[in-house]
Amino acid sequence: MSLKISINKIKVRLGVLSLFLVLTLSGFSQDGKKLFKANCAACHKIDKKLVGPALAGVDERWENRENLIAWIANSGQYLKDNPGDSYAQDLFKSYNELQMAAMPLNTEEIEAILGYIAAPPVEKKAVAAAPVQVAEQEDYTNVWLFAFAAVFLIVIGVLISVKDTLKKLLLDLKGEDGLAAIGEVNDIGLSTAGKVGMWRDSNMKSVIALGVVGFILVLYLLWVPMLSIGVYTGYAPDQPIKFSHKIHAGDDGIDCVYCHFGAEKGRTSGIPPVNVCMNCHKGIESGKLYGTEEIAKIYEAAGWDPENQKYIPRKQKGIKWTKIHNLPDHVYFNHSQHVVVGKLDCIECHGDVATFDYPMHQENDLTMGWCIECHRTSEVKMNGNPYYDKLHDQLVEKYKEEGLESFTVNQTGGIECGKCHY
Amino acid sequence: MSNSRQYWQSVEQLDNNEEFAAKNSDEFSEELPLDQFLEKQELSDSSTTRRDFLKFVGFSVTAATLAACETPVMKSIPYVIKPEEVTAGVANYYASAYYDGFDFAPILIKTREGRPIHIEGNKKYSMTQGGVNTRVNSSLLGLYDAARVRNPRIKGEDAKWSKVDKAVKASLGSAKKVRILSNSIISPSTQAAIDVFASKLGSEESPVDFKHVTYDESSSSGIVTANKNTFGKAVVPHYLFRKANIIVSFGADFLSTWLNSSQYATGYGMHRSPEEGKMSRHYQFEANFSLTGTNADIRGAVKPNEIGLAVIDLYNAVAKATGNASVKGGKLDDDNDVANKINSAAKDLVANKGKSLVVSGSNDVATQELVNGINQMIGSYGKTINIDTPLNIRKANDVDFMDLVKEMKSGSVDTLFVYGVNPVYSAPASLDFAGALAKVETSVSFSGVADETGSVTTILAPDNHYFENWNDFIPVDGAAFIAQPVIRPLFSKSKTQQGTRQAQESILRFVKVKTSFYDFMRENWNTTILPLQKDYSTFDELWNNTVHDGFIHYTPAPVAQTLEAIIPTSASASASAVVKNSKATGIVAELYTETNMGIGNQANNPWLQELPNVITKVTWDNYVAMNPADCRENGYNTNYGQHLPASLVNVTVGGSTVKLPVISTPGQRVGTVSISLGYGRTKAGKVVEQGDMLAADGVTKTVGANLFGAVSTKGGNFNYYVDNVIIELAEEKEYPIGLAQTHFTEMDRKIVNETSLSTFIKGKNVYNPDPTVVDAYGITQKVEKLDLWAAQDIANGHRWGMTIDLSKCIGCNACVTSCHAENNVPVVGKDEVRRNRIMSWLRVDRYFSSDMSMTDPGETGKIAMYKQMEAPSVYPEAVHQPVMCQQCNHAPCETVCPVAATTHSNEGLNQMTYNRCIGTRYCANNCPYKVRRFNWFNYVGDSKFTDVNPAVNDLARMVLNPDVVVRARGVMEKCSFCVQRIQSGKLDAKKEGRPVADGEVVSACSSVCPTSAIQFGDLNDSETKVKEVSEDERSYHLLEEVGTQPNVFYLTKVRNIDGERIPVGLGHGTHGDHEDHAEEAHGEDAHASESDSHSEEHAGH
């Protein structure tokens, strides 16, 4: 009797539910996608096993939808309440008794998710990594310049020989005196060196001026490259993985310190360890630009078997990145000082990394002058940091005449040698 | 009438002969090392002309310039899976404990990216208060010792662990007699493992004769036996120096090497400042001038064989005063009023009943019985000596070891395990341990290096370094310590090597117990410690908290209490034994353990080898310490130093002869000599091959000579003195010696300010008046009124400062090695030390003082008076003074730097910018404290330093502190006040948004100081300890009169003696013309003018 009633009840409910489902399916799907991404995607995929089982066809695998919903809402409770449900118990065991956390979802939300799983909107397949066609234009500028120079040299040579021939003719016609009369000198018998010497003697001022200019030019040409020694602005080495900051920090909006967590704690911001990559890339196997190719390298380094969704013991390799921002050994720089205490944004030194595609490059020159300039102009964030309370009052007193209320790093001793060099 | 004392640094300076003066007139007494460069044979053979040379130079400069234009490609490999607790650039500290059979200390290990880089004391443990001695904090380098073996060995050949296990199991299967030889085991879990091992041996049918023999290389067997005789307890008592007002020590160097010295030093330091309640008074009677002796208020020099006679004298004096029966003594050979000193000691002891302590380092049972008798009469037991919860360190009975050697010789020992000791090196030669060992069929050494023992045992099963092990220790019942691993074994099993294995695990594995020692230890703690403590209810709580804190206090199981004081009836028997034992003929030599090297188990540690001896400042050698009076009498050099060699002698003890240099050591008992143990290691590694001595084979180079063989076994204990020593000048006659201190000659100035307690009471104006200067108008002014410099802006923010209490400083060198480890200070080797190029940023100066009182010069004139005052006292007092960069606010170095490489910070630091320095060395010349060091070589790259400087070696390089630059050739360096620690402490405070707390920022030297003599902190913060101490009446600056305004304050040393003592120079007015004096001193003929300047100076007042 009671069984019948309950079955009837279920039937009625199912009927209502299906009607409801049919009516709102599209709407559900949309919400379902969001809910799925927010609550499930970390451990589940629709078509593939991840931490938990693949979810496609889950409603078919479960005989009773109500049980399924209860299972999803709180699997631990379900296991406790239904020791007889062999399917659920086996499932639990086959996943190493790894329990799914209880989900703060109501029945409707779970239904929405199930609806999304049942009919996921067809995703636009990522266009498989059509490598960006960069027309590799060869640079012909230099070749042309050389060609022109050669032509000019030939022309000059020809002109000189023409001039000599003409002069010879004139000499034959007029004789030396005639030549002198029109202001020409007989230098035909002289060697090239003699000619040059004669020209130099007659144009001493120009020669000196030319010499000075030439000397300054040479100095300048030596000086300029010297200044750039050890300055690597724009340094963008190849990396073992074609990692794009634009995709991660820009498109996906991941916070810099999610990966570079060291920036808030210590000296180096650090290149993220592979396990940080794996936090997301366990699930994301294919990238926007290069498909699976580059992400596979992460798996290789992490010793991750994407087929079976598990780590292969002792296959961890690590990734040999090429460091971009290098400071000399004799300078001590601490990220946390600047990020936490100085409250600097990463982009102030590293540029708008969120727009940098592969390969990542060094935006600023990282020279001492660049550091000092900032230390001269930047204000120490004293407000709200009790460490500075006493110092602030003392400095207000010290700069009473200037009437300063806020102070630059310089004014607190921030450009002293020993603050960075020890 | 004032009386003033003179201090001199070395006998050479005192004698002040012309050669010495000429050699020491310059700051850098050597020219550029061109000669050394040019004398290389390949250079003179080379056909390179000057033109070629210039071409090479031109080419290499161009090449270097071009190379600099290339972007250096730096690879960076992040963790695959980052350990949660490791963040790049952030240090982690782990509580642990050190024990090597000689020292015990609770420690904190600092690691960076998983790499141990520094050792400090565990401040949480109140008995040591964060102090560690120099041997403990240097043990860090042992982890990266290149001599560590990476494979177990069978008969000298590398083998697999499985083979080793099989061989040992096979041997144990057939053995009838099995022995374990170890140092005193203070680890309960190791003891449990040995017990398990013993229980699994043999079977019902064929029982195995097993015994665990303990053997301590520095024995206190005499104390153990004496306590057995007196109280029926064969123990080393637990001494509480912190409760003692009067301390009388007969040859016990309790501040540096005797028993649990780390703890004693801390306890001792608690009562050495007159401000902090009653100041203790310390009497020391000894033959060699020990570190403890230098700290004594009253010291008597007694021949080593007559220590017992001195004890009898004290016994009788105390007995008389307390109404007990006296005993019959002998006649003490007394040349320095020892009898009076003993009577005075007796008076003090009796007046401070229950608050006094008498100890003796003698290993003679009868002597120790009498010491027990004295302690009973003055009521020490239960007050300053606890015999019911004894000390577990060095509790071995020497007879056990001697019996074992006999057994081994008879060939009846089948299997022998050697753990934690190196008897082939350290056993007395008369026992012939090596010969006995050869008769043991299977011998197993657990040594981590193939040392003298490990290289001759049939099996070497290398133990991990203690940083790689779990371990536990109970040095005294009531507190249990855990040592935790801070790094995975450096040499773990891989394709190319078998790696090392913890000895305890090996022991268990040999009897087929396969648990890891970690599990074994936890189980042991679960059953033993857990029920004894009340702090934690569950085991996990107990374990996790103990691992975090490093130790736990518990209530030990009750033991039978020793009955109070029955004066031993056997005292007269003991006394007659003492008198009998005190007979000696010929020269008596004391064999002592030295502060730096101890028993020599860390001989391969270059930090310790180059660390100057606390008394003589000799590096890289041991020597015959002989009183200067004896030296002169025998014609040995007393003028030796960087340029002048010491005399080399043949020392013959009991038929065997070693060569050693003679070092004239004021304070050494006339007619006796002292030689330190712990040197002459032959198989410790590359470092010990850097010495100038030859081992017995005549080929192997060693550092110093091994005197362990000369230890006698008279009376069933190891006796650390021998008589009939023959000392003759060796055929080589001379021997170069690396001295650390004569680099710098200090003139007659107020450098160490010392006073007596009775003078101290009279007030600051008497013992520590502010220095004054007579200005150009003849007006006497305070020093700070006259100034060449504009004031530094140091009133705002922090101003870092340091105070050094000379009363508390015991001169133990711990600060020096701590500084070396923290600041990547290079080790340079003996040859460079001899060229005045030791690189220590922090040195401990030792000044001997004369007993001469200054009187009115009268007719004789001042020069003669000075000479007279400087006449060496045969038994002087000594003062230690740590000197590092004084961080002057008006620093003379800063004004002379042509490139502004050394500048002042607004926090009071004198900053040194290495990358700016061009090496003119003007700063060093202008530094009045001589604390600047010049990098003559590329110490990290030059092949000359391969085997001494850790930074050259790929393995040892891991010890470098990544926060401190490794300096390049051609730059100056000096103490930075640990600016890296200051910056990191400030940053932590800023990040957490709070002011820097007192004690948060401490320099490396201050962090290890066992007596808290060195305080560090912010002088602009009125709440700090350093501020409080710097304002103490005892505080003064070094060379205050030159007006450098240092940020380092010294506190006048107060000796607890009666009578007036006014510090040097202060009895006769001002020091106005000292600057002239200093200039003259650095002029061309400094010493010739020195005595003149004395007279000028004093004529002015």
Side-chain angles (χ1 to χ4, degrees):
Chain A
M1 178 70 181
S2 63
L3 187 74
K4 235 184 192 174
I5 293 169
S6 63
I7 290 174
N8 278 338
K9 267 187 185 169
I10 290 168
K11 273 185 183 166
V12 173
R13 279 183 190 172
L14 276 179
V16 175
L17 199 70
S18 53
L19 189 69
F20 190 59
L21 272 176
V22 171
L23 285 174
T24 57
L25 189 63
S26 55
F28 270 146
S29 260
Q30 212 46 36
D31 284 340
K33 183 177 176 183
K34 241 186 226 165
L35 287 165
F36 179 82
K37 292 258 176 187
N39 294 298
C40 318
C43 302
H44 292 283
K45 283 192 140 194
I46 292 175
D47 51 347
K48 244 180 152 175
K49 197 169 122 180
L50 201 59
V51 178
L55 295 182
V58 63
D59 38 4
E60 282 141 41
R61 292 200 293 273
W62 281 74
E63 286 173 8
N64 185 330
R65 196 169 178 97
E66 208 159 277
N67 285 352
L68 172 58
I69 289 167
W71 165 256
I72 293 170
N74 189 342
S75 61
Q77 193 62 42
Y78 183 86
L79 286 169
K80 226 183 264 172
D81 295 347
N82 300 286
D85 188 338
S86 60
Y87 177 73
Q89 298 288 356
D90 288 349
L91 193 63
F92 177 57
K93 270 176 204 140
S94 67
Y95 279 85
N96 295 328
E97 311 209 341
L98 193 73
Q99 206 172 70
M100 182 169 117
M103 287 288 150
L105 296 170
N106 59 34
T107 314
E108 280 164 26
E109 284 166 331
I110 294 174
E111 284 293 356
I113 291 167
L114 288 173
Y116 168 71
I117 292 166
V122 181
E123 275 188 50
K124 281 171 268 167
K125 273 271 173 220
V127 185
V132 191
Q133 287 286 331
V134 183
E136 287 277 324
Q137 290 279 348
E138 248 186 271
D139 193 352
Y140 290 114
T141 327
N142 284 342
V143 179
W144 280 113
L145 277 177
F146 278 119
F148 276 125
V151 169
F152 277 126
L153 282 176
I154 292 167
V155 170
I156 288 168
V158 169
L159 284 176
I160 287 172
S161 72
V162 167
K163 182 191 158 220
D164 273 2
T165 318
L166 284 174
K167 206 178 239 181
K168 224 178 246 171
L169 265 173
L170 233 95
L171 186 68
D172 288 348
L173 286 172
K174 293 197 169 181
E176 280 204 20
D177 296 343
L179 217 58
I182 58 165
E184 280 287 339
V185 183
N186 175 19
D187 57 357
I188 285 165
L190 292 175
S191 64
T192 321
K195 282 179 196 169
V196 171
M198 193 177 268
W199 179 82
R200 189 192 58 204
D201 292 346
S202 51
N203 299 288
M204 209 52 193
K205 274 184 191 162
S206 314
V207 168
I208 289 172
L210 210 67
V212 170
V213 170
F215 183 68
I216 291 171
L217 192 74
V218 168
L219 272 189
Y220 177 75
L221 288 178
L222 283 172
W223 183 250
V224 168
M226 297 255 270
L227 279 182
S228 66
I229 290 174
V231 178
Y232 307 113
T233 319
Y235 177 49
D238 286 340
Q239 300 290 0
I241 295 177
K242 295 197 177 68
F243 175 85
S244 166
H245 279 90
K246 183 165 174 285
I247 290 174
H248 291 83
D251 302 353
D252 296 343
I254 301 170
D255 196 21
C256 304
V257 289
Y258 177 77
C259 302
H260 300 288
F261 47 83
E264 287 179 336
K265 291 180 182 156
R267 208 173 147 171
T268 58
S269 66
I271 296 172
V274 184
N275 65 332
V276 171
C277 307
M278 290 302 292
N279 284 352
C280 300
H281 282 288
K282 248 186 206 173
I284 304 164
E285 291 180 348
S286 171
K288 283 183 192 164
L289 292 179
Y290 307 102
T292 55
E293 189 187 339
E294 295 300 315
I295 294 171
K297 292 181 190 167
I298 305 177
Y299 294 159
E300 171 88 13
W304 172 256
D305 176 5
E307 290 302 309
N308 299 312
Q309 293 286 320
K310 63 179 184 196
Y311 287 102
I312 312 157
R314 287 185 293 281
K315 283 281 180 196
Q316 283 70 29
K317 282 193 191 117
I319 305 169
K320 212 176 188 178
W321 298 97
T322 303
K323 212 169 155 233
I324 300 167
H325 301 88
N326 295 307
L327 287 180
D329 285 348
H330 59 251
V331 59
Y332 182 92
F333 173 83
N334 195 308
H335 266 92
S336 66
Q337 165 82 54
H338 294 81
V339 176
V340 180
V341 184
K343 300 194 174 68
L344 285 186
D345 207 16
C346 306
I347 60 168
E348 294 183 50
C349 299
H350 293 288
D352 193 1
V353 175
T355 63
F356 295 175
D357 228 324
Y358 173 81
M360 172 67 185
H361 69 268
Q362 178 179 321
E363 180 77 358
N364 284 302
D365 60 15
L366 307 187
T367 58
M368 188 167 129
W370 176 80
C371 293
I372 297 265
E373 196 176 292
C374 192
H375 279 196
R376 285 215 172 99
T377 52
S378 301
E379 200 178 281
V380 180
K381 309 281 191 301
M382 291 190 178
N383 265 347
N385 190 342
Y387 170 83
Y388 288 109
D389 286 353
K390 200 171 136 197
L391 183 64
H392 183 259
D393 295 346
Q394 288 171 336
L395 288 175
V396 168
E397 182 66 24
K398 183 181 169 187
Y399 292 99
K400 210 162 43 187
E401 284 176 21
E402 290 93 329
L404 296 183
E405 280 294 325
S406 62
F407 305 95
T408 61
V409 181
N410 179 20
Q411 280 161 334
T412 63
I415 61 166
E416 286 169 354
C417 306
K419 293 283 154 71
C420 306
H421 300 291
Y422 46 80
Chain B
M1 177 65 58
S2 62
N3 59 351
S4 179
R5 300 155 68 76
Q6 289 301 302
Y7 296 83
W8 79 95
Q9 283 201 317
S10 61
V11 181
E12 308 85 80
Q13 188 189 347
L14 187 64
D15 288 357
N16 201 7
N17 75 351
E18 271 175 36
E19 194 175 359
F20 179 79
K23 296 278 193 188
N24 284 281
S25 57
D26 296 331
E27 164 70 13
F28 295 98
S29 53
E30 289 235 345
E31 295 299 311
L32 284 166
L34 276 178
D35 50 340
Q36 199 186 332
F37 176 70
L38 291 173
E39 78 198 9
K40 282 188 183 167
Q41 191 57 35
E42 57 265 39
L43 278 177
S44 52
D45 291 348
S46 135
S47 58
T48 314
T49 62
R50 192 181 61 89
R51 277 167 176 248
D52 287 341
F53 175 71
L54 288 175
K55 281 181 208 160
F56 294 152
V57 168
F59 176 75
S60 47
V61 166
T62 319
T65 316
L66 287 174
C69 300
E70 292 281 315
T71 307
V73 176
M74 282 191 217
K75 296 289 181 187
S76 178
I77 307 171
Y79 286 108
V80 175
I81 295 159
K82 189 184 88 75
E84 211 171 310
E85 68 277 12
V86 178
T87 305
V90 179
N92 289 334
Y93 291 82
Y94 297 95
S96 192
Y98 176 86
Y99 178 66
D100 65 348
F102 193 66
D103 285 297
F104 170 81
I107 56 174
L108 273 190
I109 304 165
K110 178 187 184 184
T111 69
R112 274 287 300 269
E113 286 87 52
R115 194 154 57 79
I117 59 166
H118 200 249
I119 296 180
E120 285 169 22
N122 186 349
K123 289 214 166 13
K124 222 171 173 164
Y125 185 57
S126 62
M127 302 291 265
T128 54
Q129 299 186 350
V132 284
N133 66 28
T134 188
R135 298 181 297 274
V136 175
N137 71 41
S138 296
S139 67
L140 165 67
L141 207 48
L143 173 67
Y144 307 115
D145 188 348
R148 287 180 63 191
V149 290
R150 293 152 202 220
N151 290 296
R153 294 179 185 173
I154 298 177
K155 296 204 167 68
E157 301 288 327
D158 285 354
K160 289 193 165 160
W161 276 111
S162 53
K163 285 259 171 64
V164 168
D165 290 346
K166 214 172 135 192
V168 177
K169 280 177 200 161
S171 157
L172 289 176
S174 61
K176 294 270 177 300
K177 217 178 216 183
V178 176
R179 296 285 182 262
I180 289 184
L181 176 63
S182 77
N183 54 26
S184 291
I185 298 289
I186 64 167
S187 158
S189 299
T190 306
Q191 191 56 54
I194 293 173
D195 294 345
V196 167
F197 175 85
S199 69
K200 302 251 174 184
L201 288 177
S203 58
E204 296 243 336
E205 310 85 65
S206 59
V208 169
D209 174 7
F210 172 79
K211 206 169 152 196
H212 174 195
V213 178
T214 49
Y215 158 62
D216 286 319
E217 290 167 313
S218 176
S219 160
S220 51
S221 177
I223 297 177
V224 176
T225 315
N227 283 322
K228 193 177 165 207
N229 296 349
T230 318
F231 302 105
K233 287 189 171 181
V235 294
V236 179
H238 179 37
Y239 297 99
L240 299 160
F241 283 82
R242 68 195 155 93
K243 290 192 177 168
N245 284 346
I246 307 295
I247 297 160
V248 180
S249 162
F250 290 95
D253 190 5
F254 61 84
L255 292 178
S256 79
T257 57
W258 189 67
L259 302 176
N260 199 5
S261 55
S262 299
Q263 197 162 314
Y264 303 156
T266 306
Y268 179 82
M270 286 176 181
H271 303 292
R272 294 308 290 174
S273 289
E275 291 87 2
E276 294 163 15
K278 206 166 183 319
M279 202 180 163
S280 66
R281 179 174 282 186
H282 170 199
Y283 292 85
Q284 182 88 2
F285 300 98
E286 60 183 8
N288 83 311
F289 209 1
S290 71
L291 182 73
T292 309
T294 61
N295 287 289
D297 297 306
I298 294 151
R299 176 176 181 269
V302 177
K303 287 186 171 175
N305 53 313
E306 293 184 355
I307 288 283
L309 298 183
V311 172
I312 293 177
D313 287 352
L314 182 68
Y315 183 95
N316 285 338
V318 171
K320 203 171 143 199
T322 53
N324 287 298
S326 59
V327 293
K328 195 170 173 298
K331 182 157 176 4
L332 191 68
D333 182 3
D334 181 3
D335 68 348
N336 58 113
D337 211 12
V338 173
N340 261 336
K341 290 170 186 168
I342 286 176
N343 283 335
S344 157
K347 224 164 70 191
D348 282 338
L349 286 174
V350 175
N352 287 277
K353 263 192 173 180
K355 287 176 281 181
S356 314
L357 178 59
V358 180
V359 293
S360 169
S362 166
N363 218 15
D364 176 49
V365 178
T367 306
Q368 292 291 355
E369 283 168 358
L370 288 170
V371 170
N372 286 352
I374 300 171
N375 277 322
Q376 281 182 321
M377 290 189 282
I378 57 170
S380 304
Y381 288 98
K383 301 282 193 335
T384 54
I385 305 178
N386 192 339
I387 195 151
D388 296 321
T389 51
L391 184 69
N392 296 324
I393 299 166
R394 298 196 223 170
K395 59 185 176 194
N397 197 332
D398 298 342
V399 179
D400 294 345
F401 177 68
M402 294 179 207
D403 289 346
L404 172 71
V405 180
K406 266 181 226 150
E407 276 184 322
M408 285 162 64
K409 267 190 193 149
S410 73
S412 66
V413 176
D414 301 301
T415 316
L416 174 76
F417 297 89
V418 185
Y419 172 59
V421 286
N422 185 6
V424 173
Y425 164 74
S426 64
S430 57
L431 296 177
D432 187 23
F433 185 85
L437 186 63
K439 294 206 172 141
V440 178
E441 194 182 294
T442 310
S443 51
V444 183
S445 166
F446 294 110
S447 172
V449 294
D451 59 9
E452 289 81 350
T453 307
S455 57
V456 293
T457 50
T458 55
I459 290 168
L460 177 63
D463 192 1
N464 295 338
H465 186 258
Y466 79 101
F467 278 9
E468 303 162 339
N469 278 343
W470 283 100
N471 215 336
D472 53 358
F473 304 112
I474 299 183
V476 177
D477 269 353
F481 296 79
I482 287 186
Q484 60 175 317
V486 291
I487 188 170
R488 270 177 61 175
L490 275 181
F491 308 120
S492 49
K493 196 167 175 163
S494 73
K495 274 176 200 150
T496 53
Q497 67 193 21
Q498 284 287 303
T500 53
R501 187 170 75 185
Q502 183 167 7
Q504 288 89 333
E505 226 159 272
S506 293
I507 288 174
L508 291 172
R509 207 66 71 86
F510 293 153
V511 287
K512 297 171 191 159
V513 178
K514 288 233 166 124
T515 53
S516 71
F517 187 64
Y518 171 71
D519 293 331
F520 185 86
M521 192 171 134
R522 277 173 65 98
E523 185 49 41
N524 190 42
W525 273 61
N526 197 5
T527 51
T528 56
I529 309 286
L530 184 63
L532 293 177
Q533 55 79 44
K534 292 186 195 74
D535 297 353
Y536 307 108
S537 50
T538 67
F539 175 72
D540 280 336
E541 255 185 287
L542 162 75
W543 181 262
N544 292 339
N545 283 295
T546 311
V547 168
H548 173 269
D549 295 347
F551 67 96
I552 183 172
H553 288 294
Y554 65 90
T555 321
V559 290
Q561 296 295 306
T562 307
L563 289 173
E564 182 47 42
I566 317 149
I567 301 302
T569 45
S570 62
S572 50
S574 305
S576 59
V578 166
V579 174
K580 199 172 130 242
N581 290 344
S582 70
K583 302 260 185 306
T585 48
I587 299 176
V588 185
E590 184 175 5
L591 309 169
Y592 67 102
T593 45
E594 185 244 5
T595 312
N596 301 341
M597 204 47 70
I599 45 172
N601 54 348
Q602 291 193 62
N604 207 41
N605 188 328
W607 285 344
L608 287 176
Q609 290 286 9
E610 192 156 300
L611 194 58
N613 178 288
V614 288
I615 311 295
T616 56
K617 301 295 162 188
V618 170
T619 64
W620 289 99
D621 266 308
N622 66 340
Y623 50 83
V624 177
M626 190 183 276
N627 196 293
D630 283 345
C631 285
R632 280 190 207 97
E633 194 177 311
N634 293 299
Y636 300 134
N637 289 353
T638 52
N639 292 311
Y640 51 80
Q642 310 307 23
H643 313 278
L644 306 170
S647 300
L648 189 71
V649 292
N650 287 323
V651 182
T652 309
V653 187
S656 66
T657 303
V658 291
K659 282 190 199 321
L660 279 173
V662 174
I663 299 295
S664 79
T665 312
Q668 173 72 35
R669 176 62 168 81
V670 172
T672 69
V673 295
S674 296
I675 307 170
S676 70
L677 300 167
Y679 283 83
R681 290 281 307 272
T682 50
K683 293 205 169 122
K686 291 274 186 208
V687 176
V688 297
E689 291 167 18
Q690 304 307 306
D692 289 331
M693 286 293 175
L694 288 178
D697 61 7
V699 187
T700 319
K701 285 202 153 193
T702 62
V703 176
N706 179 15
L707 265 293
F708 264 117
V711 172
S712 85
T713 53
K714 205 169 71 179
N717 288 319
F718 298 142
N719 263 312
Y720 293 102
Y721 68 84
V722 278
D723 61 351
N724 279 323
V725 178
I726 302 159
I727 298 176
E728 299 159 321
L729 198 63
E731 53 273 29
E732 295 93 337
K733 286 188 180 147
E734 292 182 334
Y735 180 81
I737 196 89
L739 280 184
Q741 205 180 344
T742 52
H743 303 184
F744 312 108
T745 54
E746 256 108 340
M747 305 302 165
D748 167 37
R749 282 171 247 184
K750 173 188 171 187
I751 292 170
V752 274
N753 198 30
E754 189 191 353
T755 188
S756 67
L757 190 56
S758 23
T759 310
F760 169 78
I761 291 161
K762 291 183 179 161
K764 176 173 161 64
N765 287 337
V766 181
Y767 70 88
N768 189 23
D770 291 325
T772 51
V773 197
V774 182
D775 68 9
Y777 307 100
I779 303 162
T780 304
Q781 301 226 35
K782 285 205 166 175
V783 168
E784 58 264 30
K785 298 272 179 199
L786 297 175
D787 215 332
L788 282 174
W789 289 276
Q792 293 280 358
D793 178 20
I794 47 165
N796 302 326
H798 304 288
R799 179 188 161 201
W800 302 105
M802 184 184 281
T803 56
I804 301 172
D805 188 340
L806 295 180
S807 266
K808 287 190 171 200
C809 174
I810 55 169
C812 69
N813 270 346
C815 46
V816 180
T817 39
S818 177
C819 171
H820 285 193
E822 172 74 21
N823 292 304
N824 304 335
V825 174
V827 179
V828 297
K830 180 178 168 185
D831 189 41
E832 291 297 309
V833 172
R834 291 189 56 241
R835 292 164 198 268
N836 300 347
R837 294 178 193 154
I838 198 165
M839 293 299 286
S840 329
W841 286 7
L842 161 60
R843 64 176 193 264
V844 181
D845 281 344
R846 177 267 309 112
Y847 294 96
F848 293 117
S849 66
S850 72
D851 293 338
M852 174 76 192
S853 286
M854 181 163 161
T855 49
D856 188 17
E859 296 292 302
T860 52
K862 287 205 170 70
I863 298 170
M865 183 193 71
Y866 266 90
K867 282 244 186 270
Q868 209 183 350
M869 274 180 68
E870 287 180 343
S873 158
V874 181
Y875 302 115
E877 286 173 357
V879 189
H880 304 279
Q881 181 175 45
V883 181
M884 68 294 292
C885 173
Q886 305 287 303
Q887 311 288 346
C888 313
N889 285 323
H890 289 172
C893 53
E894 290 169 12
T895 51
V896 293
C897 181
V899 291
T902 184
T903 51
H904 214 72
S905 96
N906 65 349
E907 296 177 359
L909 299 181
N910 171 242
Q911 310 169 119
M912 182 67 222
T913 317
Y914 312 119
N915 42 314
R916 219 172 209 208
C917 176
I918 55 168
T920 62
R921 295 176 281 143
Y922 295 168
C923 52
N925 275 312
N926 218 31
C927 172
Y929 306 105
K930 306 303 162 212
V931 289
R932 287 179 162 266
R933 300 287 180 272
F934 186 66
N935 282 272
W936 290 95
F937 292 92
N938 174 16
Y939 295 108
V940 289
D942 198 311
S943 57
K944 185 174 175 183
F945 307 102
T946 310
D947 293 321
V948 292
N949 190 16
V952 185
N953 181 314
D954 271 342
L955 186 62
R957 189 176 293 149
M958 289 203 273
V959 82
L960 295 178
N961 182 355
D963 289 339
V964 178
V965 167
V966 175
R967 280 76 58 183
R969 173 170 50 195
V971 302
M972 263 300 160
E973 61 182 66
K974 63 157 193 80
C975 162
S976 66
F977 255 18
C978 286
V979 61
Q980 67 281 3
R981 286 175 172 234
I982 293 176
Q983 290 294 84
S984 116
K986 271 161 57 188
L987 182 56
D988 287 345
K990 284 178 194 171
K991 282 199 278 195
E992 287 165 29
R994 55 173 175 79
V996 176
D998 188 24
E1000 191 178 9
V1001 176
V1002 283
S1003 59
C1005 49
S1006 160
S1007 73
V1008 297
C1009 183
T1011 56
S1012 309
I1014 305 179
Q1015 295 289 340
F1016 188 87
D1018 187 353
L1019 292 170
N1020 277 353
D1021 181 348
S1022 55
E1023 304 290 304
T1024 55
K1025 173 96 177 151
V1026 73
K1027 176 73 178 165
E1028 184 199 324
V1029 178
S1030 72
E1031 284 169 351
D1032 191 288
E1033 291 206 328
R1034 288 193 288 136
S1035 93
Y1036 71 100
H1037 291 301
L1038 206 52
L1039 304 183
E1040 201 163 348
E1041 62 274 17
V1042 300
T1044 50
Q1045 303 188 5
N1047 283 321
V1048 178
F1049 296 79
Y1050 288 89
L1051 264 68
T1052 307
K1053 183 175 176 74
V1054 179
R1055 266 191 219 272
N1056 190 356
I1057 47 172
D1058 304 322
E1060 189 115 330
R1061 184 174 286 186
I1062 292 168
V1064 65
L1066 292 176
H1068 44 97
T1070 60
H1071 277 244
D1073 41 12
H1074 261 311
E1075 275 162 66
D1076 300 345
H1077 184 138
E1079 266 169 41
E1080 262 176 85
H1082 290 293
E1084 277 172 11
D1085 50 355
H1087 265 264
S1089 67
E1090 195 201 348
S1091 20
D1092 297 338
S1093 66
H1094 281 320
S1095 50
E1096 278 165 29
E1097 182 184 333
H1098 295 289
H1101 312 316

